[in-house]
Amino acid sequence: ARHAATGVARRVRIYPYARAATPEARERLARTAKREASILEGVEHPGIQRVLDYREAELGPALVFEHDPNALRLDRFLSQHLAKLSLEQRLALIRQLGEAMAYAHGKRLYHRGLAPQSVLVRDAETDAPRLQITNWQVASRGGGTSAGLLRTMGTQHVEDHLVDPVKVYLAPEAEAVGDEGAAPTDVFSLGAIAFHIIAGRPPAANPLDLPARLREGNGLLLSGAINGAGRWLEEMVRAATAPVVRDRPRDAREFLD
């Protein structure tokens, strides 16, 4: 969309009331949109896309974002460009995601639905693509010490907002986890995305295949997909995607370390 007065282009995401079959579903849709707008208040990081405005529209509540016409979703970027990326460039992408989520976790902000479909790639045609995490509609945020920052609960209907291609990047406990366990859930998603970036394919063909893959290697094993990944890189991905929560890094900062 383009502002009528300034001519500045913005991206608008509408939560369509047409999807809400009942008044309760309509109310839940509005709450989800408002949550995404409010949960990112005070968040300032180049790797996290901010909501610029929240508006009530006839078709449904709408969120307004900065618009980059050349940006690609990470899943599409990987399908088009991954083969051309060096290992160093792939690791740089993983670090960008890790640093953005480490900042978020430092703010007690948890995505809870992180996948390539929730990441935008800017400058995709350059040697240094820039990543931005978006789609925070199932996120949660704990209260902080600053005045006015309240605890914002994640949606209790996570599965309603996520499609199957996303679910192969989610931890086994993702749909049931509370806020206290949300950081390791994000860590799992970081590890699963890292697997895709390094191995060149998603962690599993579909969500039903994922648990068996995790049991076989106590996490995702790069050695089962490619040769010569290196022990440290394999262990980074395996530990992050360990099926048992306590076996993972506690948060994104520990994942980076």
Side-chain angles (χ1 to χ4, degrees):
R2 190 173 297 274
H3 194 283
T6 65
V8 176
R10 297 297 189 207
R11 182 171 71 90
V12 179
R13 189 204 307 146
I14 296 175
Y15 287 75
Y17 284 141
R19 293 183 184 175
T22 65
E24 292 78 12
R26 186 184 177 105
E27 182 180 344
R28 192 164 70 228
L29 200 67
R31 285 201 307 268
T32 301
K34 290 177 181 178
R35 182 192 306 113
E36 185 172 5
S38 64
I39 211 164
L40 295 176
E41 288 182 3
V43 173
E44 297 281 350
H45 190 279
I48 297 175
Q49 188 180 46
R50 295 187 302 118
V51 176
L52 301 179
D53 197 9
Y54 169 86
R55 296 179 183 177
E56 293 284 353
E58 183 178 347
L59 295 177
L63 301 181
V64 182
F65 302 88
E66 179 185 356
H67 177 60
D68 180 350
N70 297 315
L72 289 175
R73 272 188 358 198
L74 180 58
D75 56 321
R76 294 169 182 163
F77 172 83
L78 294 177
S79 68
Q80 297 173 23
H81 298 274
L82 187 60
K84 299 180 289 186
L85 297 182
S86 67
L87 178 59
E88 183 178 357
Q89 289 172 311
R90 298 181 192 212
L91 292 176
L93 296 179
I94 296 168
R95 175 158 288 278
Q96 284 189 59
L97 288 177
E99 288 176 348
M101 287 308 304
Y103 171 88
H105 287 175
K107 297 283 188 180
R108 299 185 67 188
L109 171 62
Y110 311 106
H111 193 284
R112 300 172 77 229
L114 187 62
Q117 292 82 351
S118 297
V119 180
L120 292 178
V121 184
R122 302 183 186 275
D123 302 330
E125 300 294 338
T126 71
D127 292 335
R130 297 182 296 117
L131 304 187
Q132 272 194 327
I133 300 172
T134 186
N135 294 348
W136 296 81
Q137 59 263 49
V138 299
S140 60
R141 189 172 184 181
T145 56
S146 59
L149 181 58
L150 301 177
R151 187 166 181 265
T152 306
M153 297 292 292
T155 176
Q156 298 304 303
H157 301 272
V158 173
E159 65 277 7
D160 292 350
H161 302 277
L162 302 173
V163 296
D164 278 357
V166 169
K167 292 179 181 179
V168 298
Y169 300 92
L170 302 186
E173 75 281 0
E175 292 185 358
V177 71
D179 290 350
E180 294 303 317
T185 297
D186 284 344
V187 168
F188 182 98
S189 295
L190 285 171
I193 295 172
F195 178 94
H196 188 161
I197 291 173
I198 300 299
R201 60 176 174 82
N206 60 69
L208 295 178
D209 290 345
L210 184 61
R213 296 286 310 279
L214 299 178
R215 287 194 301 269
E216 288 168 5
N218 194 28
L220 296 172
L221 297 181
L222 285 170
S223 58
I226 58 172
N227 295 321
R231 181 175 298 178
W232 71 270
L233 188 55
E234 170 144 289
E235 180 57 20
M236 177 191 76
V237 171
R238 189 213 60 77
T241 57
V244 178
V245 175
R246 66 175 179 271
D247 293 340
R248 295 178 212 148
R250 288 173 295 179
D251 55 24
R253 178 55 59 193
E254 191 170 300
F255 169 80
L256 288 173
D257 294 341

